[in-house]
């Protein structure tokens, strides 16, 4: 049996006619860059996130970068984040001229350790970017308390957490701003590149709208140096339809995760993801940990099961960041996880028999390992 790691085609198939009609409406109106379709999606997405306002942008990386720029983070400043994330979180910090400062993760939730956060704050610190890795919100309450005590802004990297909640509040609505990616493989995926920032801060929202459109307040009146980070009308029209199906898709992911949790529990040398009592996880990624990663991946592949690794190299050890002066051993929990993570197949259309096949293969592999 074949079990792909991800199959986006299956997700789009039932929506094909509805999406085709929406794209045709964009063609008819020629509102391709920004415009009414983007505004309509922004209103829906802000409501979905209980976040006041949303600003549609070109992708998730730009969402993070523009938010930092809008907060006037720049050269000489430090922004604290985690090394267990996609490269983009740190790149956004670097691109506005500030320095990424990393803190280790909590080894059960794989998100920012608030204790480590306190120790990393310096007089140069301007902002904190907790990452809701794999779809599980970071422990936001202590992070917000620390941030407020030091007068720091908080940007949630919610690129993997559309629809997740923390103590009942939607991911993205807790900090000063929440940044989302609609890259096709995310829980809410566009037909290309797109992203958004949600915020309850009207002044920040206004600055973001100006920055994403060349710093223009009105056509050809530029009050800031901005950039072109507009969202496409077609992406907005597609996302507006897919947003209506997001809760059902996330519920499917949670049901699949519950089966993995239950059926993989107690296997020798395997750790399943912990559920934070405060959070509703949306399982963008279902990552297990095992010290015998290479053998397990090989055995799954031999049995037709696709896997991924998110991420094999923590950001502080990436070659591109060698200039920051970090080294192996600086963030032992993030490093250990990076060596042990395996992402199992996870998407809403995964069938019951496919999940059984993944579980059965893992059982045979890990139990054979113990017998050998
Ligand atoms: C996908 C992702 C991003 C970047 O989003 P893009 O839309 O690909 O630019 C940023 N942070 C995290 C945690 C992500 O998973």
């Amino acid at each position: 049996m074949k079990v792909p790691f991800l199959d986006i085609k299956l997700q789009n198939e039932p929506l094909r006619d509805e999406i085709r009609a929406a794209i045709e409406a964009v063609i008819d109106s020629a509102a391709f860059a920004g415009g009414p379709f983007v505004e309509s999606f922004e209103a829906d997405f802000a409501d979905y996130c209980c976040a006041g306002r949303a600003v549609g942008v070109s992708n998730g990386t730009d969402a993070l970068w523009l938010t930092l720029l809008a907060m006037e983070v720049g050269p000489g400043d430090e922004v604290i984040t985690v090394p267990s994330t996609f490269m983009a979180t740190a790149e956004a910090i670097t691109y506005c001229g500030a320095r990424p400062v990393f803190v280790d993760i909590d080894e059960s939730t794989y998100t920012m350790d608030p204790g480590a956060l306190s120790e990393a704050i310096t007089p140069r610190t301007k902002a904190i970017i907790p990452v809701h890795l794999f779809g599980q919100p970071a422990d936001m309450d202590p992070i917000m308390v620390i941030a407020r005590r030091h007068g720091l802004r908080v940007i949630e990297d919610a690129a993997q957490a559309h629809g997740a909640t923390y103590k009942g509040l939607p991911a993205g609505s807790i900090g000063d701003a929440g940044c989302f990616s609609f890259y096709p493989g995310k829980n809410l995926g566009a037909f290309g590149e797109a992203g958004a920032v949600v915020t309850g801060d009207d002044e920040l929202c206004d600055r973001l709208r100006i920055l994403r459109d060349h710093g223009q307040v009105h056509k050809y009146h530029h009050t800031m140096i901005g950039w072109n980070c507009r969202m496409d009308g077609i992406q907005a029209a597609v996302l507006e339809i897919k947003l209506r199906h997001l809760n059902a898709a996330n519920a499917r992911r949670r049901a699949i995760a519950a089966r993995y949790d239950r059926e993989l529990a107690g296997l020798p040398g395997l750790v399943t993801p912990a559920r934070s009592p405060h959070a509703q996880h949306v399982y963008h990624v279902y990552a297990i940990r095992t010290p015998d990663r290479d053998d397990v991946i090989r055995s799954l592949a031999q049995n037709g099961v696709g896997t991924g690794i998110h991420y094999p190299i923590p950001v502080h050890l990436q070659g591109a960041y060698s200039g920051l002066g970090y080294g192996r051993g600086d963030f032992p929990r993030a490093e250990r996880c990076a060596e042990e993570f395996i992402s199992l197949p996870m998407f809403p259309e995964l069938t019951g028999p496919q999940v059984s096949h993944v579980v059965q293969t893992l059982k045979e592999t890990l139990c054979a390992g113990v017998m050998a």
Side-chain angles (χ1 to χ4, degrees):
M1 180 187 280
K2 283 260 180 271
V3 189
F5 173 64
L6 176 65
D7 187 337
I8 298 176
K9 278 191 219 156
L10 287 175
Q11 188 187 107
N12 292 326
E13 208 41 55
L15 306 177
R16 185 184 279 266
D17 292 339
E18 206 183 340
I19 287 176
R20 197 194 301 266
I23 291 175
E24 280 177 6
V26 180
I27 297 173
D28 289 341
S29 74
F32 294 117
F37 295 93
V38 173
E39 284 166 24
S40 174
F41 171 69
E42 285 172 340
D44 286 3
F45 194 64
D47 277 354
Y48 182 82
C49 295
C50 302
R53 293 167 80 184
V55 182
V57 294
S58 32
N59 58 62
T61 311
D62 284 347
L64 290 162
W65 175 58
L66 285 193
T67 302
L68 288 164
L69 288 178
M71 291 175 174
E72 299 183 294
V73 174
D77 296 336
E78 294 176 353
V79 178
I80 300 174
T81 190
V82 286
S84 299
T85 183
F86 180 56
M87 186 71 175
T89 318
E91 280 177 308
I93 299 167
T94 304
Y95 248 65
C96 63
R99 180 187 167 88
V101 170
F102 299 109
V103 298
D104 214 343
I105 53 168
D106 174 292
E107 205 167 346
S108 74
T109 61
Y110 312 137
T111 57
M112 182 177 277
D113 172 2
L117 168 63
S118 297
E119 291 163 26
I121 292 171
T122 76
R124 293 175 189 274
T125 309
K126 278 283 160 60
I128 304 166
I129 310 184
V131 179
H132 303 326
L133 193 74
F134 301 156
Q136 174 152 261
D139 194 3
M140 291 303 293
D141 276 355
I143 292 172
M144 293 306 292
V145 167
I146 294 164
R148 293 298 176 245
R149 191 184 302 143
H150 292 88
L152 306 175
R153 309 300 297 270
V154 176
I155 302 167
E156 296 173 61
D157 184 338
Q160 303 187 358
H162 323 68
T165 58
Y166 174 81
K167 299 188 180 172
L169 300 174
S173 71
I174 304 155
D176 297 291
C179 293
F180 290 86
S181 163
F182 306 119
Y183 182 76
K186 301 285 160 96
N187 287 32
L188 179 59
F191 277 17
E193 305 277 352
V197 184
V198 299
T199 181
D201 178 339
D202 287 344
E203 197 184 315
L204 184 73
C205 178
D206 292 341
R207 292 175 65 83
L208 285 164
R209 284 177 194 279
I210 294 170
L211 283 168
R212 75 169 165 185
D213 192 22
H214 300 290
Q216 306 188 91
V217 267
H218 309 294
K219 202 170 174 73
Y220 306 133
H221 288 73
H222 306 263
T223 55
M224 286 189 253
I225 306 291
W227 200 248
N228 177 356
C229 301
R230 293 179 299 249
M231 180 186 261
D232 289 352
I234 287 180
Q235 302 310 337
V238 170
L239 287 165
E240 189 162 329
I241 291 168
K242 293 183 82 174
L243 180 60
R244 294 182 209 132
H245 302 273
L246 178 59
N247 283 346
N250 281 343
R252 265 300 296 162
R253 287 175 186 269
R254 273 197 296 276
I256 294 163
R259 262 200 74 191
Y260 278 146
D261 284 350
R262 199 168 56 239
E263 295 178 29
L264 298 174
L267 281 185
L270 184 144
V271 178
T272 55
R275 286 170 191 245
S276 153
H278 311 305
Q280 168 107 278
H281 201 315
V282 290
Y283 296 98
H284 173 59
V285 166
Y286 186 94
I288 57 170
R289 287 171 59 190
T290 167
D292 307 315
R293 172 163 73 192
D294 294 349
D295 291 342
V296 173
I297 288 177
R298 199 173 314 116
S299 166
L300 286 165
Q302 280 163 359
N303 287 280
V305 178
T307 53
I309 299 176
H310 299 90
Y311 297 91
I313 304 172
V315 180
H316 71 289
L317 298 180
Q318 292 289 352
Y321 276 129
S322 58
L324 290 178
Y326 289 109
R328 196 164 285 282
D330 284 346
F331 306 108
R333 286 167 274 168
E335 291 168 25
R336 201 155 43 234
C337 288
E339 284 165 11
E340 295 183 352
F341 275 145
I342 304 176
S343 309
L344 297 184
M346 173 53 81
F347 51 95
E349 297 74 21
L350 215 51
T351 66
Q354 284 179 314
V355 175
S356 303
H357 181 67
V358 176
V359 167
Q360 196 51 38
T361 306
L362 276 169
K363 281 187 174 163
E364 282 163 15
T365 306
L366 289 159
C367 297
V370 170
M371 306 300 277

